[in-house]
Each structure stands twice: as C-alpha cells, then as structure tokens.
Amino acid sequence: MQRLFIVSAIVAGLFGAGWVLSAGRPLPAAAVAGLSGDPAAGEAVFHAAGCASCHMAPEAEGPARRVLSGGQRFPSPFGTFVAPNISPDPDQGIGGWDLRAFASALKRGVRPDGAHYFPAFPYTTYTRMTLQDVADLKAFMDLLPPDATPSQPHEVAFPFNIRRSLFGWKLLFLDADWVLDAGTNPSLQRGRYLVEAMGHCAECHTSRNILGGIDKARWMAGAPNPAGKGRIPNITPGALDWSEADIAYYLETGFTPDFDSVGGHMAFVVENTALLAPEDRAAIAAYLKALPPLK
Amino acid sequence: MISVRLAAVTALALAPALVSAQDYKFQLTARQGQMAIAGIGASVLGDMAKGKIAYDAAAAEAAAHNIAAIASLNQDGLWPEGSDDMSIDGTRAQPTIWENNADFMSKWESFQTAALSLSDAAGSGVEAMQPALNTLGQACVACHKAHRAPEN
C-alpha cells in the first residue's frame, strides 16, 4: 500500500513537473524593454511577413485586406486551422496585448496565457526576426481597423489538439539558425532575412516530415499542396531556371517569364511582394538563385 | 431516313459515355487559345518593360491591340456548364466560374478595361506603358487566383 502510494506520488510528481515544464515561456520582459516601434517602418515588415494573406477575411479585396478579422481556413494532414482575428480589437483581436506578448507570439509561438500556438502560424520563421522589426510591426498593426468578429476554433482532432505536446515539437523544430550560409554579401543577407525570417516561403515550398516539421535537407525543393490538388513547385536552381530579373519581375507583377500569371495562394504572396522595395525583390531573387540546387 | 434516325438513337445511347473533354474540345481550344494570344502580347510588352528587348512603339502598340481585341471578344458560348475541371480533363477552369458567374464576368470586364488602357498607353514610351501593364497583370492575377486551379 505504501509502495503504491510512493509510486503514485512519483508518477504524479513527474506528470506535474512535465506539466510545468511543458508550458510556453514568454520572452523575458527585459528583451523588449526600451524598444519603441515605428509604424511607417512596420508597414514594410507587415507586407514582407505576409500577415494579411492569411489573417484577412476570406475573399477580402482592396482596403478590406487590412481588416485582420481572420476566418480563412487552412487544411492540413492534422486538421483544418482557422486563422484567428489579429485586428486591434481589444476583445476579439489582439488590441490589448503589450509588446512582450506580441513578440512572444512571433518569436516563441507562445500565447499570452502560456499555451503554445500551432505552427500553422509560422513562428518557426518569425523567430528569426529582429525585435526592432517586431516592435515596428506591432506599431503598424495597432493602427489597422479593429474588427469584433470572434476567432473560430481550429478543427484539429485528438491527439494533435493537445497544445502541450507542441512543447516537444518546438524542441525538435523551432530554432533560429539560418538555413542558407549567406556569407558577407549584403543583398544575399537581406534576401535571406526576407525569406527565412519574414516571407516564410519554406512553409509551403519545403516538404515536411511525419510530425509536420520542415525537412531542411529538402529546403525549397517543393512539396505536396496541403489544400489538395497539385504540388507546390521546387524553387531551387535545380528546377527553377528563371533569371534573377525574371524572379524579381514575377514578384512585382505576377507575370511568369512566359507571361502566364500567378494564381492560387501564390497570388496572395505576390500582392505582398509587389509592395516591397525593388531592391528587396531583387534580394529575394538573389537568395533563391543561391540555394543549393535540388531535384 | 432510317439511317439518320438510327444514328440519332445511337448518339443518344452513347451520349453519357461521351461526356468527356471531347465534348468541349472547341470551347477549351478557344478559351486557351485566347489566353495564349494575350500571353504572347504581354510577353512582348513585358520583355520591353524588363529591358530584355528594346522598346519599339509600333511593336508595343500591335501587341497591346491584340490583347485588347482578345479582352473584347464576347465570351458567350465559350463557357458551357459542365466544362469545369471537376467535370472534365484538359481544363483548369474551376466550378466557381459558374457558381459565381457575376464575379467571373466582372473580372473579365476588369481585364477588358485594363487591356484598353494599355492599348492607349503602349505607344507612348516604356514609362507610360509600365503602370498600365502592371494593372493588366493585376487583372490576370485576380481572375486566376479566384477561378483557375493550380497546375498539375
């Protein structure tokens, strides 16, 4: 009886310790102390990070693209994720958040209550963002129109709906190391920052392992389309033979080198890249051409 | 007379088996052909915009006029019900074209408006042409985003 008690106590203790350890940890308050955001600079971050593409309402066009009321659905092998409201509405959106909460979400995938976000939210990319860019982004997003549409729950079944399990997932797949060695070339470094810290191209263009982690050995070499039909193309030089000028022009206008136009979800991406500075589009093109060619 | 009737009966009997891309062969060829002509026009203007080929006012105008001509073609008869990518092979036209036809047609009208402005601007130099070409590109993207299935 006594032994049973001791075993139970140990099991309970381990479980309790695991429960405590597996909670999400926000960034330390000191990390954001003294930072202040510039909304004008934040607008460029907003476009480069592609926030509106997923968080605007389904089918939103024109000025409605800046109302981040959520509701778009993203099917995956683990279930369907529904983008939440991240407008500055204090109740339904993220208007009540301070910079520390906002930065913890982007850089650590942690919700203000300590729960882990599902990595459908590409914090595995945003974790590489500078805190100044995060502060600028927040300053810009605070000025967007608030919207009181409530966020919808994700449709994710057991066991993937256990957010605690994402603690282990993050240990395996969340790291802030760069994927490409950009050397000392400033354009290549800028391209890498745009792609690996903001644009999250790899989220769709790289295949995933059985746990949904990105396979860095197949970086940008294409993947099945999670929404069903077709494949997301390989954009390493092993398959994409467009020139740098062609890639930059495509990211500006949506025209491929043979003057077909972009379609599908990539059309949303081009709506963002069209708003970047020309040298940023050129930097993305330089980055893609510098990737290891994969077949 | 009997042979005509026999042929008609046979055709009716075979009709369900023949519901395939073949039924809309002309429509698909026409739809994709008009896009190809527009694409060739855009490639002339785009290569000038990129600086890949030298700007030539006459060639730019000719290309833009072709795009405008395509955008002005009446689309009646080219988009029969059941010629979507869920029903037949050989097309990337999504059922949304029929489910939300008003949206499709308004996007086609934007294409026409953009093509006509481009037609006006194309002969006046590469700087004048470029914004009009970008607007045309946005019209292409808007419709392809909403109503065209991804490749392969």
Side-chain angles (χ1 to χ4, degrees):
Chain A
M1 191 63 202
Q2 199 180 0
R3 188 184 294 171
L4 182 66
F5 176 78
I6 292 168
V7 169
S8 311
I10 290 171
V11 168
L14 284 174
F15 185 80
W19 189 254
V20 170
L21 284 172
S22 62
R25 262 169 212 61
L27 283 171
V32 294
L35 274 181
S36 76
D38 167 11
E43 179 166 6
V45 177
F46 180 75
H47 298 314
C51 314
S53 303
C54 293
H55 286 282
M56 65 189 187
E59 321 277 322
E61 283 181 39
R65 299 182 71 250
R66 295 196 161 199
V67 184
L68 306 180
S69 54
Q72 286 189 66
R73 300 167 62 80
F74 299 91
S76 83
F78 308 100
T80 295
F81 297 97
V82 187
N85 183 336
I86 57 164
S87 80
D89 186 89
D91 303 315
Q92 303 300 336
I94 60 171
W97 291 18
D98 60 12
L99 178 57
R100 184 184 177 202
F102 185 79
S104 299
L106 262 72
K107 291 189 64 82
R108 293 200 169 177
V110 172
R111 216 160 63 175
D113 66 0
H116 300 290
Y117 283 114
F118 292 111
F121 169 38
Y123 54 80
T124 50
T125 293
Y126 300 149
T127 192
R128 300 185 184 98
M129 271 171 77
T130 65
L131 282 164
Q132 185 59 56
D133 276 350
V134 172
D136 292 346
L137 176 62
K138 183 174 193 306
F140 174 75
M141 286 175 63
D142 283 344
L143 301 177
L144 294 176
D147 184 283
T149 308
S151 296
Q152 301 303 310
H154 299 306
E155 292 156 22
V156 177
F158 183 83
F160 304 115
N161 59 352
I162 306 172
R163 287 180 185 264
R164 286 274 166 169
S165 65
L166 289 163
F167 170 74
W169 191 93
K170 285 178 172 178
L171 280 181
L172 292 170
F173 304 120
L174 176 60
D175 74 71
D177 295 342
W178 298 111
V179 179
L180 182 77
D181 177 3
T184 54
N185 178 334
S187 173
L188 206 51
Q189 287 178 345
R190 177 65 182 161
R192 179 175 69 176
Y193 186 74
L194 286 160
V195 171
E196 295 188 14
M198 300 205 280
H200 59 281
C201 316
E203 299 290 333
C204 291
H205 284 282
T206 305
S207 50
R208 291 170 186 276
N209 60 29
I210 194 165
L211 294 173
I214 286 200
D215 180 2
K216 286 186 181 163
R218 303 284 308 154
W219 189 247
M220 304 293 183
N225 182 356
K229 251 185 152 176
R231 273 186 75 77
I232 313 280
N234 179 340
I235 53 171
T236 73
L240 187 70
D241 58 2
W242 302 1
S243 72
E244 282 186 35
D246 284 340
I247 295 171
Y249 189 75
Y250 170 78
L251 294 174
E252 180 186 1
T253 63
F255 282 127
T256 66
D258 52 1
F259 287 84
D260 189 356
S261 90
V262 62
H265 197 83
M266 190 63 198
F268 293 98
V269 176
V270 171
E271 283 170 4
N272 296 323
T273 53
L275 299 169
L276 298 181
E279 51 277 18
D280 277 353
R281 285 188 293 269
I284 294 173
Y287 172 89
L288 291 179
K289 295 304 273 187
L291 286 172
L294 297 172
K295 287 292 171 194
Chain B
M1 193 59 203
I2 288 176
S3 67
V4 171
R5 201 179 293 170
L6 185 65
V9 169
T10 313
L12 274 177
L14 288 177
L18 286 175
V19 174
S20 70
Q22 258 185 348
D23 293 63
Y24 301 117
K25 197 180 115 202
F26 287 142
Q27 285 89 343
L28 296 195
T29 307
R31 270 149 46 172
Q32 289 161 13
Q34 59 184 4
M35 289 295 105
I37 294 171
I40 289 168
S43 76
V44 172
L45 300 169
D47 285 348
M48 289 178 189
K50 278 189 213 174
K52 218 179 215 175
I53 56 173
Y55 174 76
D56 171 321
E61 271 196 317
H65 286 166
N66 268 9
I67 301 172
I70 287 298
S72 304
L73 283 180
N74 188 303
Q75 295 296 305
D76 289 354
L78 295 192
W79 306 88
E81 268 308 323
S83 61
D84 58 86
D85 72 324
M86 294 292 167
S87 308
I88 57 172
D89 287 333
T91 179
R92 290 159 67 192
Q94 291 187 311
T96 52
I97 290 172
W98 292 268
E99 290 158 12
N100 193 355
N101 193 252
D103 180 70
F104 176 70
M105 289 316 295
S106 94
K107 289 188 160 69
W108 188 280
E109 267 166 45
S110 314
F111 168 43
Q112 191 183 34
T113 310
L116 292 171
S117 334
L118 178 60
S119 213
D120 289 340
S124 322
V126 77
E127 283 79 24
M129 172 191 81
Q130 214 146 353
L133 181 61
N134 287 1
T135 308
L136 178 83
Q138 284 158 13
C140 301
V141 172
C143 196
H144 288 155
K145 181 171 84 173
H147 299 298
R148 184 174 68 166
E151 222 166 342
N152 60 58

PDB file of all heavy atoms in Angstrom, chain A residues 145-175:
ATOM      1  N   PRO A 145      -7.656  48.851 -38.821  1.00  0.00           N
ATOM      2  CA  PRO A 145      -9.022  48.926 -38.282  1.00  0.00           C
ATOM      3  C   PRO A 145      -9.356  47.750 -37.358  1.00  0.00           C
ATOM      4  O   PRO A 145      -9.092  46.599 -37.714  1.00  0.00           O
ATOM      5  CB  PRO A 145      -9.913  48.867 -39.544  1.00  0.00           C
ATOM      6  CG  PRO A 145      -9.014  48.723 -40.707  1.00  0.00           C
ATOM      7  CD  PRO A 145      -7.604  48.697 -40.278  1.00  0.00           C
ATOM      8  N   PRO A 146      -9.926  48.027 -36.175  1.00  0.00           N
ATOM      9  CA  PRO A 146     -10.357  46.931 -35.305  1.00  0.00           C
ATOM     10  C   PRO A 146     -11.608  46.255 -35.862  1.00  0.00           C
ATOM     11  O   PRO A 146     -12.389  46.879 -36.581  1.00  0.00           O
ATOM     12  CB  PRO A 146     -10.658  47.618 -33.972  1.00  0.00           C
ATOM     13  CG  PRO A 146     -10.852  49.048 -34.293  1.00  0.00           C
ATOM     14  CD  PRO A 146     -10.159  49.342 -35.588  1.00  0.00           C
ATOM     15  N   ASP A 147     -11.785  45.000 -35.558  1.00  0.00           N
ATOM     16  CA  ASP A 147     -12.956  44.250 -36.032  1.00  0.00           C
ATOM     17  C   ASP A 147     -13.352  43.279 -34.933  1.00  0.00           C
ATOM     18  O   ASP A 147     -12.499  42.627 -34.340  1.00  0.00           O
ATOM     19  CB  ASP A 147     -12.602  43.490 -37.308  1.00  0.00           C
ATOM     20  CG  ASP A 147     -13.801  42.777 -37.900  1.00  0.00           C
ATOM     21  OD1 ASP A 147     -14.195  41.715 -37.366  1.00  0.00           O
ATOM     22  OD2 ASP A 147     -14.362  43.288 -38.882  1.00  0.00           O
ATOM     23  N   ALA A 148     -14.673  43.202 -34.651  1.00  0.00           N
ATOM     24  CA  ALA A 148     -15.121  42.428 -33.489  1.00  0.00           C
ATOM     25  C   ALA A 148     -15.585  41.012 -33.852  1.00  0.00           C
ATOM     26  O   ALA A 148     -16.257  40.353 -33.068  1.00  0.00           O
ATOM     27  CB  ALA A 148     -16.242  43.174 -32.772  1.00  0.00           C
ATOM     28  N   THR A 149     -15.196  40.513 -35.032  1.00  0.00           N
ATOM     29  CA  THR A 149     -15.550  39.136 -35.384  1.00  0.00           C
ATOM     30  C   THR A 149     -14.800  38.170 -34.470  1.00  0.00           C
ATOM     31  O   THR A 149     -13.567  38.226 -34.401  1.00  0.00           O
ATOM     32  CB  THR A 149     -15.149  38.835 -36.848  1.00  0.00           C
ATOM     33  OG1 THR A 149     -15.689  39.841 -37.685  1.00  0.00           O
ATOM     34  CG2 THR A 149     -15.639  37.461 -37.285  1.00  0.00           C
ATOM     35  N   PRO A 150     -15.517  37.265 -33.757  1.00  0.00           N
ATOM     36  CA  PRO A 150     -14.787  36.337 -32.884  1.00  0.00           C
ATOM     37  C   PRO A 150     -13.966  35.330 -33.691  1.00  0.00           C
ATOM     38  O   PRO A 150     -14.378  34.913 -34.774  1.00  0.00           O
ATOM     39  CB  PRO A 150     -15.908  35.615 -32.109  1.00  0.00           C
ATOM     40  CG  PRO A 150     -17.175  36.329 -32.437  1.00  0.00           C
ATOM     41  CD  PRO A 150     -16.963  37.066 -33.717  1.00  0.00           C
ATOM     42  N   SER A 151     -12.815  34.940 -33.161  1.00  0.00           N
ATOM     43  CA  SER A 151     -12.000  33.897 -33.789  1.00  0.00           C
ATOM     44  C   SER A 151     -12.728  32.564 -33.708  1.00  0.00           C
ATOM     45  O   SER A 151     -13.397  32.276 -32.716  1.00  0.00           O
ATOM     46  CB  SER A 151     -10.657  33.782 -33.081  1.00  0.00           C
ATOM     47  OG  SER A 151      -9.933  34.980 -33.230  1.00  0.00           O
ATOM     48  N   GLN A 152     -12.594  31.755 -34.745  1.00  0.00           N
ATOM     49  CA  GLN A 152     -13.231  30.434 -34.757  1.00  0.00           C
ATOM     50  C   GLN A 152     -12.238  29.382 -34.263  1.00  0.00           C
ATOM     51  O   GLN A 152     -11.044  29.510 -34.524  1.00  0.00           O
ATOM     52  CB  GLN A 152     -13.673  30.086 -36.189  1.00  0.00           C
ATOM     53  CG  GLN A 152     -14.661  31.082 -36.787  1.00  0.00           C
ATOM     54  CD  GLN A 152     -15.909  31.229 -35.937  1.00  0.00           C
ATOM     55  OE1 GLN A 152     -16.522  30.229 -35.566  1.00  0.00           O
ATOM     56  NE2 GLN A 152     -16.261  32.459 -35.594  1.00  0.00           N
ATOM     57  N   PRO A 153     -12.735  28.332 -33.587  1.00  0.00           N
ATOM     58  CA  PRO A 153     -11.808  27.289 -33.127  1.00  0.00           C
ATOM     59  C   PRO A 153     -11.225  26.503 -34.301  1.00  0.00           C
ATOM     60  O   PRO A 153     -11.880  26.360 -35.339  1.00  0.00           O
ATOM     61  CB  PRO A 153     -12.691  26.388 -32.262  1.00  0.00           C
ATOM     62  CG  PRO A 153     -14.087  26.656 -32.695  1.00  0.00           C
ATOM     63  CD  PRO A 153     -14.127  28.067 -33.200  1.00  0.00           C
ATOM     64  N   HIS A 154      -9.994  26.007 -34.139  1.00  0.00           N
ATOM     65  CA  HIS A 154      -9.401  25.118 -35.144  1.00  0.00           C
ATOM     66  C   HIS A 154     -10.158  23.804 -35.134  1.00  0.00           C
ATOM     67  O   HIS A 154     -10.707  23.388 -34.105  1.00  0.00           O
ATOM     68  CB  HIS A 154      -7.934  24.856 -34.819  1.00  0.00           C
ATOM     69  CG  HIS A 154      -7.091  26.092 -34.797  1.00  0.00           C
ATOM     70  ND1 HIS A 154      -7.036  26.973 -35.834  1.00  0.00           N
ATOM     71  CD2 HIS A 154      -6.265  26.585 -33.839  1.00  0.00           C
ATOM     72  CE1 HIS A 154      -6.211  27.963 -35.527  1.00  0.00           C
ATOM     73  NE2 HIS A 154      -5.742  27.759 -34.321  1.00  0.00           N
ATOM     74  N   GLU A 155     -10.170  23.131 -36.297  1.00  0.00           N
ATOM     75  CA  GLU A 155     -10.823  21.822 -36.360  1.00  0.00           C
ATOM     76  C   GLU A 155      -9.741  20.753 -36.428  1.00  0.00           C
ATOM     77  O   GLU A 155      -9.442  20.198 -37.483  1.00  0.00           O
ATOM     78  CB  GLU A 155     -11.757  21.778 -37.571  1.00  0.00           C
ATOM     79  CG  GLU A 155     -12.940  22.722 -37.389  1.00  0.00           C
ATOM     80  CD  GLU A 155     -13.568  23.167 -38.707  1.00  0.00           C
ATOM     81  OE1 GLU A 155     -13.395  22.461 -39.714  1.00  0.00           O
ATOM     82  OE2 GLU A 155     -14.228  24.222 -38.703  1.00  0.00           O
ATOM     83  N   VAL A 156      -9.102  20.544 -35.289  1.00  0.00           N
ATOM     84  CA  VAL A 156      -7.975  19.635 -35.203  1.00  0.00           C
ATOM     85  C   VAL A 156      -8.338  18.545 -34.190  1.00  0.00           C
ATOM     86  O   VAL A 156      -8.750  18.847 -33.074  1.00  0.00           O
ATOM     87  CB  VAL A 156      -6.709  20.392 -34.749  1.00  0.00           C
ATOM     88  CG1 VAL A 156      -5.544  19.446 -34.586  1.00  0.00           C
ATOM     89  CG2 VAL A 156      -6.367  21.477 -35.766  1.00  0.00           C
ATOM     90  N   ALA A 157      -8.198  17.286 -34.598  1.00  0.00           N
ATOM     91  CA  ALA A 157      -8.660  16.178 -33.759  1.00  0.00           C
ATOM     92  C   ALA A 157      -7.561  15.698 -32.814  1.00  0.00           C
ATOM     93  O   ALA A 157      -6.386  16.017 -32.989  1.00  0.00           O
ATOM     94  CB  ALA A 157      -9.131  15.033 -34.647  1.00  0.00           C
ATOM     95  N   PHE A 158      -7.959  14.918 -31.804  1.00  0.00           N
ATOM     96  CA  PHE A 158      -7.022  14.254 -30.912  1.00  0.00           C
ATOM     97  C   PHE A 158      -6.082  13.373 -31.740  1.00  0.00           C
ATOM     98  O   PHE A 158      -6.546  12.740 -32.673  1.00  0.00           O
ATOM     99  CB  PHE A 158      -7.836  13.400 -29.920  1.00  0.00           C
ATOM    100  CG  PHE A 158      -6.991  12.714 -28.905  1.00  0.00           C
ATOM    101  CD1 PHE A 158      -6.572  13.387 -27.765  1.00  0.00           C
ATOM    102  CD2 PHE A 158      -6.595  11.394 -29.085  1.00  0.00           C
ATOM    103  CE1 PHE A 158      -5.779  12.753 -26.820  1.00  0.00           C
ATOM    104  CE2 PHE A 158      -5.796  10.762 -28.144  1.00  0.00           C
ATOM    105  CZ  PHE A 158      -5.394  11.439 -27.022  1.00  0.00           C
ATOM    106  N   PRO A 159      -4.793  13.233 -31.472  1.00  0.00           N
ATOM    107  CA  PRO A 159      -4.070  13.847 -30.365  1.00  0.00           C
ATOM    108  C   PRO A 159      -3.457  15.206 -30.723  1.00  0.00           C
ATOM    109  O   PRO A 159      -2.825  15.821 -29.879  1.00  0.00           O
ATOM    110  CB  PRO A 159      -2.955  12.834 -30.108  1.00  0.00           C
ATOM    111  CG  PRO A 159      -2.626  12.315 -31.468  1.00  0.00           C
ATOM    112  CD  PRO A 159      -3.927  12.311 -32.235  1.00  0.00           C
ATOM    113  N   PHE A 160      -3.646  15.655 -31.961  1.00  0.00           N
ATOM    114  CA  PHE A 160      -2.935  16.869 -32.378  1.00  0.00           C
ATOM    115  C   PHE A 160      -3.473  18.121 -31.688  1.00  0.00           C
ATOM    116  O   PHE A 160      -2.846  19.162 -31.721  1.00  0.00           O
ATOM    117  CB  PHE A 160      -2.999  17.017 -33.903  1.00  0.00           C
ATOM    118  CG  PHE A 160      -2.455  15.815 -34.612  1.00  0.00           C
ATOM    119  CD1 PHE A 160      -3.273  15.017 -35.392  1.00  0.00           C
ATOM    120  CD2 PHE A 160      -1.119  15.459 -34.466  1.00  0.00           C
ATOM    121  CE1 PHE A 160      -2.774  13.896 -36.030  1.00  0.00           C
ATOM    122  CE2 PHE A 160      -0.611  14.337 -35.098  1.00  0.00           C
ATOM    123  CZ  PHE A 160      -1.446  13.550 -35.883  1.00  0.00           C
ATOM    124  N   ASN A 161      -4.674  17.983 -31.088  1.00  0.00           N
ATOM    125  CA  ASN A 161      -5.263  19.152 -30.438  1.00  0.00           C
ATOM    126  C   ASN A 161      -4.670  19.419 -29.057  1.00  0.00           C
ATOM    127  O   ASN A 161      -5.052  20.368 -28.394  1.00  0.00           O
ATOM    128  CB  ASN A 161      -6.785  18.996 -30.350  1.00  0.00           C
ATOM    129  CG  ASN A 161      -7.200  17.774 -29.573  1.00  0.00           C
ATOM    130  OD1 ASN A 161      -6.350  16.948 -29.207  1.00  0.00           O
ATOM    131  ND2 ASN A 161      -8.481  17.644 -29.308  1.00  0.00           N
ATOM    132  N   ILE A 162      -3.754  18.566 -28.588  1.00  0.00           N
ATOM    133  CA  ILE A 162      -3.144  18.792 -27.270  1.00  0.00           C
ATOM    134  C   ILE A 162      -2.004  19.784 -27.434  1.00  0.00           C
ATOM    135  O   ILE A 162      -0.914  19.437 -27.899  1.00  0.00           O
ATOM    136  CB  ILE A 162      -2.602  17.471 -26.674  1.00  0.00           C
ATOM    137  CG1 ILE A 162      -3.721  16.428 -26.647  1.00  0.00           C
ATOM    138  CG2 ILE A 162      -2.040  17.704 -25.275  1.00  0.00           C
ATOM    139  CD1 ILE A 162      -3.218  15.064 -26.249  1.00  0.00           C
ATOM    140  N   ARG A 163      -2.255  21.009 -27.060  1.00  0.00           N
ATOM    141  CA  ARG A 163      -1.246  22.046 -27.283  1.00  0.00           C
ATOM    142  C   ARG A 163       0.033  21.795 -26.479  1.00  0.00           C
ATOM    143  O   ARG A 163       1.117  22.187 -26.892  1.00  0.00           O
ATOM    144  CB  ARG A 163      -1.819  23.426 -26.949  1.00  0.00           C
ATOM    145  CG  ARG A 163      -2.820  23.922 -27.991  1.00  0.00           C
ATOM    146  CD  ARG A 163      -3.349  25.288 -27.626  1.00  0.00           C
ATOM    147  NE  ARG A 163      -4.404  25.736 -28.534  1.00  0.00           N
ATOM    148  CZ  ARG A 163      -4.202  26.534 -29.580  1.00  0.00           C
ATOM    149  NH1 ARG A 163      -2.994  26.975 -29.849  1.00  0.00           N
ATOM    150  NH2 ARG A 163      -5.210  26.909 -30.343  1.00  0.00           N
ATOM    151  N   ARG A 164      -0.109  21.110 -25.339  1.00  0.00           N
ATOM    152  CA  ARG A 164       1.095  20.815 -24.534  1.00  0.00           C
ATOM    153  C   ARG A 164       2.118  20.019 -25.337  1.00  0.00           C
ATOM    154  O   ARG A 164       3.314  20.155 -25.128  1.00  0.00           O
ATOM    155  CB  ARG A 164       0.704  20.010 -23.286  1.00  0.00           C
ATOM    156  CG  ARG A 164       0.009  20.826 -22.246  1.00  0.00           C
ATOM    157  CD  ARG A 164       1.010  21.527 -21.334  1.00  0.00           C
ATOM    158  NE  ARG A 164       0.336  22.557 -20.570  1.00  0.00           N
ATOM    159  CZ  ARG A 164       0.884  23.205 -19.543  1.00  0.00           C
ATOM    160  NH1 ARG A 164       2.120  22.930 -19.173  1.00  0.00           N
ATOM    161  NH2 ARG A 164       0.218  24.124 -18.927  1.00  0.00           N
ATOM    162  N   SER A 165       1.615  19.155 -26.246  1.00  0.00           N
ATOM    163  CA  SER A 165       2.542  18.314 -26.999  1.00  0.00           C
ATOM    164  C   SER A 165       3.427  19.161 -27.914  1.00  0.00           C
ATOM    165  O   SER A 165       4.479  18.715 -28.360  1.00  0.00           O
ATOM    166  CB  SER A 165       1.776  17.279 -27.816  1.00  0.00           C
ATOM    167  OG  SER A 165       0.998  17.935 -28.798  1.00  0.00           O
ATOM    168  N   LEU A 166       3.024  20.394 -28.172  1.00  0.00           N
ATOM    169  CA  LEU A 166       3.831  21.260 -29.036  1.00  0.00           C
ATOM    170  C   LEU A 166       5.122  21.689 -28.345  1.00  0.00           C
ATOM    171  O   LEU A 166       6.048  22.164 -29.006  1.00  0.00           O
ATOM    172  CB  LEU A 166       3.021  22.489 -29.457  1.00  0.00           C
ATOM    173  CG  LEU A 166       1.915  22.149 -30.455  1.00  0.00           C
ATOM    174  CD1 LEU A 166       0.894  23.263 -30.518  1.00  0.00           C
ATOM    175  CD2 LEU A 166       2.502  21.893 -31.835  1.00  0.00           C
ATOM    176  N   PHE A 167       5.176  21.484 -27.029  1.00  0.00           N
ATOM    177  CA  PHE A 167       6.436  21.735 -26.327  1.00  0.00           C
ATOM    178  C   PHE A 167       7.533  20.873 -26.943  1.00  0.00           C
ATOM    179  O   PHE A 167       8.613  21.368 -27.291  1.00  0.00           O
ATOM    180  CB  PHE A 167       6.267  21.421 -24.836  1.00  0.00           C
ATOM    181  CG  PHE A 167       7.566  21.418 -24.074  1.00  0.00           C
ATOM    182  CD1 PHE A 167       8.213  22.601 -23.773  1.00  0.00           C
ATOM    183  CD2 PHE A 167       8.139  20.214 -23.655  1.00  0.00           C
ATOM    184  CE1 PHE A 167       9.414  22.595 -23.069  1.00  0.00           C
ATOM    185  CE2 PHE A 167       9.336  20.209 -22.956  1.00  0.00           C
ATOM    186  CZ  PHE A 167       9.972  21.406 -22.666  1.00  0.00           C
ATOM    187  N   GLY A 168       7.233  19.575 -27.094  1.00  0.00           N
ATOM    188  CA  GLY A 168       8.202  18.656 -27.698  1.00  0.00           C
ATOM    189  C   GLY A 168       8.446  19.000 -29.161  1.00  0.00           C
ATOM    190  O   GLY A 168       9.585  18.968 -29.640  1.00  0.00           O
ATOM    191  N   TRP A 169       7.397  19.362 -29.846  1.00  0.00           N
ATOM    192  CA  TRP A 169       7.521  19.720 -31.271  1.00  0.00           C
ATOM    193  C   TRP A 169       8.481  20.899 -31.438  1.00  0.00           C
ATOM    194  O   TRP A 169       9.350  20.912 -32.306  1.00  0.00           O
ATOM    195  CB  TRP A 169       6.135  20.078 -31.831  1.00  0.00           C
ATOM    196  CG  TRP A 169       6.093  20.196 -33.324  1.00  0.00           C
ATOM    197  CD1 TRP A 169       5.776  19.209 -34.213  1.00  0.00           C
ATOM    198  CD2 TRP A 169       6.393  21.360 -34.116  1.00  0.00           C
ATOM    199  NE1 TRP A 169       5.862  19.685 -35.500  1.00  0.00           N
ATOM    200  CE2 TRP A 169       6.237  20.997 -35.476  1.00  0.00           C
ATOM    201  CE3 TRP A 169       6.783  22.663 -33.807  1.00  0.00           C
ATOM    202  CZ2 TRP A 169       6.453  21.899 -36.520  1.00  0.00           C
ATOM    203  CZ3 TRP A 169       7.001  23.554 -34.855  1.00  0.00           C
ATOM    204  CH2 TRP A 169       6.840  23.173 -36.190  1.00  0.00           C
ATOM    205  N   LYS A 170       8.326  21.862 -30.544  1.00  0.00           N
ATOM    206  CA  LYS A 170       9.198  23.039 -30.636  1.00  0.00           C
ATOM    207  C   LYS A 170      10.657  22.682 -30.343  1.00  0.00           C
ATOM    208  O   LYS A 170      11.566  23.234 -30.961  1.00  0.00           O
ATOM    209  CB  LYS A 170       8.731  24.114 -29.659  1.00  0.00           C
ATOM    210  CG  LYS A 170       7.472  24.847 -30.119  1.00  0.00           C
ATOM    211  CD  LYS A 170       7.074  25.861 -29.052  1.00  0.00           C
ATOM    212  CE  LYS A 170       5.962  26.762 -29.512  1.00  0.00           C
ATOM    213  NZ  LYS A 170       5.575  27.701 -28.442  1.00  0.00           N
ATOM    214  N   LEU A 171      10.864  21.764 -29.372  1.00  0.00           N
ATOM    215  CA  LEU A 171      12.240  21.340 -29.087  1.00  0.00           C
ATOM    216  C   LEU A 171      12.881  20.783 -30.352  1.00  0.00           C
ATOM    217  O   LEU A 171      14.061  20.988 -30.622  1.00  0.00           O
ATOM    218  CB  LEU A 171      12.256  20.254 -28.008  1.00  0.00           C
ATOM    219  CG  LEU A 171      12.111  20.703 -26.557  1.00  0.00           C
ATOM    220  CD1 LEU A 171      12.177  19.498 -25.638  1.00  0.00           C
ATOM    221  CD2 LEU A 171      13.207  21.706 -26.192  1.00  0.00           C
ATOM    222  N   LEU A 172      12.082  20.061 -31.143  1.00  0.00           N
ATOM    223  CA  LEU A 172      12.608  19.418 -32.339  1.00  0.00           C
ATOM    224  C   LEU A 172      12.761  20.395 -33.508  1.00  0.00           C
ATOM    225  O   LEU A 172      13.713  20.308 -34.279  1.00  0.00           O
ATOM    226  CB  LEU A 172      11.672  18.273 -32.777  1.00  0.00           C
ATOM    227  CG  LEU A 172      11.597  17.064 -31.849  1.00  0.00           C
ATOM    228  CD1 LEU A 172      10.459  16.140 -32.271  1.00  0.00           C
ATOM    229  CD2 LEU A 172      12.924  16.305 -31.872  1.00  0.00           C
ATOM    230  N   PHE A 173      11.807  21.311 -33.663  1.00  0.00           N
ATOM    231  CA  PHE A 173      11.724  22.037 -34.937  1.00  0.00           C
ATOM    232  C   PHE A 173      11.795  23.556 -34.847  1.00  0.00           C
ATOM    233  O   PHE A 173      11.787  24.225 -35.877  1.00  0.00           O
ATOM    234  CB  PHE A 173      10.430  21.655 -35.674  1.00  0.00           C
ATOM    235  CG  PHE A 173      10.292  20.178 -35.900  1.00  0.00           C
ATOM    236  CD1 PHE A 173       9.215  19.481 -35.372  1.00  0.00           C
ATOM    237  CD2 PHE A 173      11.248  19.484 -36.618  1.00  0.00           C
ATOM    238  CE1 PHE A 173       9.093  18.116 -35.573  1.00  0.00           C
ATOM    239  CE2 PHE A 173      11.134  18.121 -36.823  1.00  0.00           C
ATOM    240  CZ  PHE A 173      10.048  17.432 -36.297  1.00  0.00           C
ATOM    241  N   LEU A 174      11.823  24.106 -33.638  1.00  0.00           N
ATOM    242  CA  LEU A 174      11.880  25.575 -33.547  1.00  0.00           C
ATOM    243  C   LEU A 174      13.305  25.996 -33.239  1.00  0.00           C
ATOM    244  O   LEU A 174      13.791  25.799 -32.129  1.00  0.00           O
ATOM    245  CB  LEU A 174      10.929  26.073 -32.451  1.00  0.00           C
ATOM    246  CG  LEU A 174      10.935  27.584 -32.169  1.00  0.00           C
ATOM    247  CD1 LEU A 174      10.549  28.385 -33.401  1.00  0.00           C
ATOM    248  CD2 LEU A 174      10.000  27.929 -31.017  1.00  0.00           C
ATOM    249  N   ASP A 175      14.012  26.509 -34.239  1.00  0.00           N
ATOM    250  CA  ASP A 175      15.325  27.065 -33.945  1.00  0.00           C
ATOM    251  C   ASP A 175      15.566  28.260 -34.840  1.00  0.00           C
ATOM    252  O   ASP A 175      15.015  28.360 -35.943  1.00  0.00           O
ATOM    253  CB  ASP A 175      16.426  26.015 -34.096  1.00  0.00           C
ATOM    254  CG  ASP A 175      16.732  25.678 -35.530  1.00  0.00           C
ATOM    255  OD1 ASP A 175      17.312  26.541 -36.222  1.00  0.00           O
ATOM    256  OD2 ASP A 175      16.400  24.567 -35.986  1.00  0.00           O
TER     257      ASP A 175
END
